[in-house]
């Protein structure tokens, strides 16, 4: 029987916890990506959110660059649901 490997991914919201800075949140996101990489996860996705003080992933291109620079094998991307922001 042929067993296929399942490619697991993580969706990271980069929540800024009470009493933490955005910088600490970015470090936490990097730590999560490194842990995921060490456990053979294939991808980490950063949710793109705007206009919220408690979400640190509004500038996903910066977060992706930071994580990519400090990891080696995990694939990194971003995504967002734009329907609430745009009329059909």
């Amino acid at each position: 029987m042929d067993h296929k490997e399942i490619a697991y991914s993580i969706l990271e919201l980069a929540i800024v916890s009470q009493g933490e800075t955005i910088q600490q949140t970015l470090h936490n996101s990097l730590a999560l990506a490194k842990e995921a990489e060490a456990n053979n996860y294939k991808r980490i996705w950063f949710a793109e959110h705007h206009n919220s003080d408690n979400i640190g992933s509004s500038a996903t291109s910066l977060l992706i660059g930071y994580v990519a620079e400090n990891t080696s094998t995990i694939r990194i991307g971003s995504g967002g649901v734009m329907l609430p922001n745009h009329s059909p």
Side-chain angles (χ1 to χ4, degrees):
M1 179 185 277
D2 184 26
H3 294 285
K4 292 186 178 183
E5 184 178 323
I6 297 173
Y8 289 102
S9 299
I10 290 177
L11 173 63
E12 166 66 325
L13 299 175
I15 301 293
V16 180
S17 298
Q18 186 173 0
E20 288 192 348
T21 64
I22 290 179
Q23 183 178 18
Q24 183 59 47
T25 300
L26 300 182
H27 290 311
N28 293 345
S29 293
L30 174 58
L32 176 63
K34 286 182 173 185
E35 187 68 23
E37 185 174 55
N39 285 286
N40 297 317
Y41 280 71
K42 302 300 178 196
R43 294 173 202 87
I44 186 164
W45 296 94
F46 294 106
E48 186 174 335
H49 287 278
H50 301 283
N51 301 323
S52 179
D53 292 338
N54 64 338
I55 298 182
S57 60
S58 60
T60 53
S61 58
L62 297 177
L63 184 53
I64 288 170
Y66 173 63
V67 173
E69 181 179 25
N70 292 286
T71 55
S72 58
T73 60
I74 196 162
R75 298 184 70 167
I76 304 164
S78 68
V81 176
M82 301 298 145
L83 291 176
N85 299 326
H86 304 284
S87 60

